[in-house]
Amino acid sequence: MFSKVSLLLTTVLTVSLGAGHAGAQDEDMDVIEIQGRYLSLDQLNSVKTPTPIIDVPQSLSIITDVQITEQGFVNFGDILRYTPGLSISQGEGHRDAINIRGNQSTADFFLNGIRDDVQYYRPLYNLEQVEILRGSNALLFGRGGGGGVVNRVTKAPVVGEAFHGFGAAIDTFGAGQLTADINLDTGNQSGIRLNGFIETMANHRDAFDGTRYGINPTASIALGNETTLTAYYEYLDDDRVVDRGVPSIAVAGAPGRPLEGYDNTFFGSPDRNRTTLQAHTFRVRVDHEYTDQLRGNITAQYADYDKAYQNIYAAGFDATVIPNRVTLDGYRDTTARTNLIVQGNLVGEFRTGSIEHTLLVGGEFGDQDTTNARVDNLFAASNDDQISIDFSDPLVIPDFAFATPVRDRSSSVQFTSLYIQDQIDLTSALKVMIGARFDRFDVSVLDRQAVSATDNGRRGRVDEEISPRFGLIYKPADNISFYASYSETFLPSAGDQFLTLSTTSEDIQPQTFENREIGAKWDIHANLSFTAAIFRLERGQFTTIDPDDPSIVTTVAGSTTEGFELQLVGELTDGWTVNAGYSYLDGVVEGGGFDGNATRQTPEHMVSLWNRYQINGELAVAVGATYQDAYFVREDNGVELPGYTRVDAAVFYDLSRETRIQLNVENLFDTDYFPDAHSNSNISTGEPLNARLSISHEF
């Protein structure tokens, strides 16, 4: 650990000293104001070049901090329900898991453009906005991101200003949250911002509870007129119950369905189902402007994650006998990971004759070390990790212990990437984007369980991949664009968490993704935008778990997802704002025993709508709805979750210019629904009608 921190500091200091002769940054020149429409090099950066969204040849959504606050979002599941083309997966009750265009991932998360791939629940307390880029994204983000990526953009210091904001909230179930956002005025050469939160967790489920808190100080200082250094640190602590929902029941001649009537029942051990996380993230970024047409940045980030979870959960349910029988399983899993990632970008704007270029040249180096171990539970009565018992409410869990080691692995991953992209303005109406990324991905795994007299337990593989990106943009007017794009990405055979490498998988080529897309973007007026996209996403060979035996991994030849997405965001009239989205997804598995089946957790239709109307200077109201079509939980299509519509509402009242009180009502008509799942026997139940009262004050 010490050597990695030293490398991080050495890298940053070298860059800082080399650029230290320059003076303070000219904010009027460098900062592009974000009003929901622009991404810029200074503000985040997802696209790594100062490009208006209307000129980005791919489908994307931006969720601002205002939207997060006003809709009362508390997790990524809330955000994705109002984002076309995406849905949330259960994540076994201990992590974020997303489905983008029919592809599931627990690792395609980024923090200010830097990889953040450990499995945990990411908080929203310190975010400026969330950017969701759909389609393969290897050139910008490297491996993974087959269906798309999610990038969190944190709040940055505001130089020359002092302000303080505090918030408090409590909901029907007794869950509460306190937040603080403090920006200090330290002069016109520097700024300091401190964000923090603490929350207690509760919901409709029996036995669920938890606490979480985090703190995030960020400092920015000018090292001259053209150079700025930003230092970031975050500590996050999360301790909560692991809840994997309810099982499914078999239906004669049809797919299984979720067990109904037991939305509150906890299928686990109230005392032993637990997950904990302690995470430290350090980041230093240096931005330097060489000339008006050439600027660059370098970022070094070191993150240390310590994660553990243990659980008893339902592995099956037999409703054909009286009393009903439930099968239980369980394990304890621990993960320790350190990530050191250094990324540099150079952006230049120049002309060759009458043709304008925006050239991006960059590189990235990463060193990630992971230790993971799993211990199965052992039920005393069955002398096995599974047991079948009579169902009761509450469930009576037989005596057990986490006692049987089944996995003990360490992995080391080093990756080196180089990328180049040129956005070429052939005319004022026609633009071409072309680029490619080279990745060298070197993974080595030590499987201690496999060590024997003839096997040293070491597995390894080196992959070198070139991922192209091409886009064509036609703008018949400044506020309208049509685009076509092609992009690729890959996922190494070690998986997105690097731990699946075995004597079999170390000989398997990386999984590949190809995304073809055409779309249109229309800024109807300054505060209203419409976007549309049609796509075809092809996924190469991948593996899935055999639903009848989780210890068996089944290889699938591939899958294809075709579909389209529509989104309307902005002001329809003075005082009336809207965020509306629709997606159609047709995901099909190709080859093997699941050939022709629907891809996992891919609703064919998803619709979302949020309306906010400002009645007068103090009072505003909002109403929204989300619809999610039925979908199959896994590729075997053995269990189907029913579709549902949920209606939400909110009322906002400004007590003064500094103080707002807000009431959010979720599931207004008390709909009974199942929002997500992990497996055929782990299905989440939706929260009933509930309300969240919050108050915020700024001064």
Side-chain angles (χ1 to χ4, degrees):
M1 174 176 174
F2 177 78
S3 61
K4 293 182 179 179
V5 174
S6 300
L7 176 58
L8 185 153
L9 293 175
T10 301
T11 302
V12 172
L13 288 174
T14 300
V15 175
S16 302
L17 292 173
H21 66 278
Q25 186 175 12
D26 183 342
E27 294 180 22
D28 294 334
M29 178 181 297
D30 287 301
V31 177
I32 298 175
E33 188 71 21
I34 292 182
Q35 297 178 340
R37 296 180 54 213
Y38 288 91
L39 306 175
S40 100
L41 183 65
D42 303 286
Q43 295 284 354
L44 49 114
N45 183 16
S46 277
V47 297
K48 295 184 170 66
T49 57
T51 306
I53 287 177
I54 200 168
D55 293 343
V56 177
Q58 72 180 108
S59 176
L60 60 91
S61 297
I62 292 182
I63 297 88
T64 66
D65 60 335
V66 173
Q67 185 179 350
I68 291 171
T69 299
E70 292 197 344
Q71 292 192 239
F73 294 156
V74 296
N75 54 50
F76 269 99
D78 295 333
I79 290 176
L80 298 192
R81 289 185 188 99
Y82 280 90
T83 306
L86 287 88
S87 61
I88 195 74
S89 188
Q90 184 193 84
E92 298 179 276
H94 68 87
R95 64 181 184 232
D96 289 322
I98 55 176
N99 300 290
I100 308 181
R101 293 183 171 177
N103 293 273
Q104 189 176 101
S105 176
T106 64
D108 292 328
F109 295 91
F110 292 78
L111 182 65
N112 297 309
I114 304 295
R115 187 171 292 276
D116 173 39
D117 53 11
V118 164
Q119 298 178 338
Y120 71 103
Y121 285 117
R122 292 154 179 84
L124 310 179
Y125 74 102
N126 60 343
L127 299 188
E128 186 74 30
Q129 61 189 34
V130 176
E131 301 165 350
I132 299 174
L133 284 75
R134 291 178 281 272
S136 303
N137 283 279
L139 188 143
L140 297 175
F141 296 100
R143 70 180 189 272
V149 300
V150 175
N151 182 47
R152 292 181 294 151
V153 183
T154 56
K155 296 176 180 178
V158 181
V159 176
E161 293 186 23
F163 56 83
H164 307 78
F166 299 93
I170 189 168
D171 71 13
T172 304
F173 307 113
Q177 185 180 69
L178 297 174
T179 60
D181 181 2
I182 301 171
N183 193 89
L184 303 178
D185 183 359
T186 57
N188 59 9
Q189 298 286 307
S190 63
I192 296 176
R193 192 162 186 173
L194 176 65
N195 280 272
F197 85 111
I198 183 170
E199 69 174 318
T200 58
M201 289 173 261
N203 62 20
H204 65 297
R205 300 279 292 160
D206 295 342
F208 180 78
D209 62 26
T211 58
R212 179 169 64 163
Y213 62 91
I215 187 168
N216 175 206
T218 306
S220 179
I221 184 170
L223 302 179
N225 292 328
E226 290 85 27
T227 307
T228 302
L229 183 147
T230 303
Y232 169 106
Y233 168 71
E234 182 182 34
Y235 174 72
L236 182 64
D237 189 290
D238 192 328
D239 183 343
R240 71 177 74 195
V241 166
V242 175
D243 180 8
R244 296 176 64 162
V246 301
S248 63
I249 59 174
V251 178
R257 67 172 188 266
L259 176 67
E260 298 181 6
Y262 295 95
D263 290 0
N264 301 340
T265 304
F266 187 67
F267 285 80
S269 169
D271 299 324
R272 307 285 293 278
N273 277 46
R274 208 81 196 177
T275 181
T276 59
L277 168 80
Q278 293 81 40
H280 301 266
T281 303
F282 306 85
R283 183 175 65 253
V284 180
R285 170 169 168 152
V286 177
D287 290 87
H288 180 68
E289 183 175 322
Y290 298 95
T291 68
D292 290 347
Q293 289 76 41
L294 182 64
R295 55 184 173 173
N297 63 67
I298 186 166
T299 303
Q301 177 170 295
Y302 178 82
D304 186 311
Y305 310 88
D306 189 358
K307 167 80 183 291
Y309 69 97
Q310 58 187 39
N311 55 176
I312 297 295
Y313 60 91
F317 193 88
D318 188 352
T320 64
V321 297
I322 299 177
N324 298 158
R325 300 278 289 177
V326 59
T327 300
L328 301 177
D329 202 341
Y331 57 84
R332 172 176 171 80
D333 192 284
T334 57
T335 298
R337 177 174 296 169
T338 59
N339 287 355
L340 173 63
I341 299 175
V342 180
Q343 180 188 104
N345 299 287
L346 194 64
V347 178
E349 298 173 290
F350 61 94
R351 286 177 175 268
T352 54
S354 62
I355 298 176
E356 296 181 1
H357 299 261
T358 301
L359 183 67
L360 165 69
V361 179
E364 190 172 44
F365 168 79
D367 188 350
Q368 303 179 261
D369 290 332
T370 305
T371 300
N372 174 265
R374 176 166 292 189
V375 178
D376 261 353
N377 66 294
L378 183 67
F379 288 107
S382 65
N383 196 34
D384 190 61
D385 63 336
Q386 290 194 350
I387 193 171
S388 292
I389 61 172
D390 289 344
F391 172 63
S392 61
D393 188 8
L395 207 61
V396 179
I397 306 294
D399 291 340
F400 71 93
F402 297 110
T404 309
V406 294
R407 185 167 68 212
D408 186 3
R409 297 174 182 162
S410 296
S411 69
S412 176
V413 174
Q414 288 192 347
F415 62 89
T416 304
S417 308
L418 298 173
Y419 46 89
I420 184 170
Q421 175 183 278
D422 191 8
Q423 179 176 306
I424 307 167
D425 294 2
L426 298 174
T427 68
S428 59
L430 186 61
K431 304 174 186 291
V432 174
M433 180 178 290
I434 186 168
R437 177 176 180 130
F438 169 78
D439 285 281
R440 187 180 192 275
F441 190 88
D442 186 346
V443 57
S444 60
V445 175
L446 172 59
D447 186 347
R448 297 180 183 85
Q449 293 286 106
V451 173
S452 67
T454 58
D455 188 345
N456 63 7
R458 297 190 178 277
R459 318 283 182 248
R461 181 178 175 89
V462 176
D463 292 301
E464 295 182 345
E465 296 289 329
I466 295 178
S467 304
R469 185 190 193 202
F470 175 79
L472 181 67
I473 304 118
Y474 174 65
K475 299 182 69 176
D478 287 343
N479 65 327
I480 299 174
S481 70
F482 299 94
Y483 70 86
S485 68
Y486 173 84
S487 58
E488 292 183 7
T489 192
F490 73 99
L491 183 65
S493 57
D496 59 13
Q497 297 297 328
F498 331 132
L499 291 171
T500 59
L501 203 64
S502 65
T503 52
T504 300
S505 61
E506 68 178 346
D507 294 327
I508 297 176
Q509 293 293 321
Q511 182 183 153
T512 58
F513 301 81
E514 296 182 6
N515 188 77
R516 296 168 176 85
E517 184 174 323
I518 59 174
K521 301 181 182 183
W522 178 23
D523 288 342
I524 300 170
H525 58 69
N527 298 311
L528 183 65
S529 297
F530 173 76
T531 61
I534 303 173
F535 67 90
R536 177 183 174 89
L537 177 60
E538 297 178 2
R539 180 185 187 185
Q541 179 176 289
F542 64 97
T543 58
T544 187
I545 301 297
D546 188 317
D548 298 322
D549 186 351
S551 66
I552 298 175
V553 177
T554 300
T555 300
V556 180
S559 67
T560 298
T561 305
E562 296 179 327
F564 63 91
E565 301 153 350
L566 306 172
Q567 190 165 29
L568 178 69
V569 179
E571 289 187 10
L572 289 177
T573 65
D574 289 342
W576 181 15
T577 60
V578 64
N579 185 345
Y582 168 75
S583 65
Y584 168 79
L585 301 173
D586 180 17
V588 179
V589 177
E590 299 169 345
F594 301 143
D595 184 46
N597 285 4
T599 53
R600 67 167 60 190
Q601 301 181 33
T602 308
E604 189 172 31
H605 302 280
M606 288 185 285
V607 183
S608 63
L609 175 64
W610 180 259
N611 294 276
R612 183 188 187 279
Y613 187 74
Q614 190 73 37
I615 296 175
N616 55 42
E618 294 79 29
L619 180 64
V621 295
V623 62
T626 60
Y627 169 75
Q628 181 171 286
D629 207 356
Y631 66 77
F632 294 105
V633 177
R634 286 191 178 274
E635 289 85 0
D636 70 310
N637 291 183
V639 173
E640 184 179 39
L641 299 197
Y644 69 89
T645 300
R646 195 188 82 183
V647 177
D648 304 325
V651 179
F652 316 95
Y653 188 76
D654 293 334
L655 299 175
S656 67
R657 293 183 61 182
E658 296 81 20
T659 306
R660 165 175 287 188
I661 190 168
Q662 174 177 329
L663 178 68
N664 290 84
V665 180
E666 181 183 284
N667 197 3
L668 188 63
F669 299 120
D670 202 22
T671 299
D672 189 18
Y673 68 103
F674 300 91
D676 52 61
H678 169 68
S679 68
N680 289 345
S681 55
N682 296 159
I683 302 167
S684 301
T685 64
E687 293 182 350
L689 169 68
N690 65 90
R692 187 172 190 256
L693 181 66
S694 58
I695 186 169
S696 59
H697 181 73
E698 296 180 359
F699 58 91

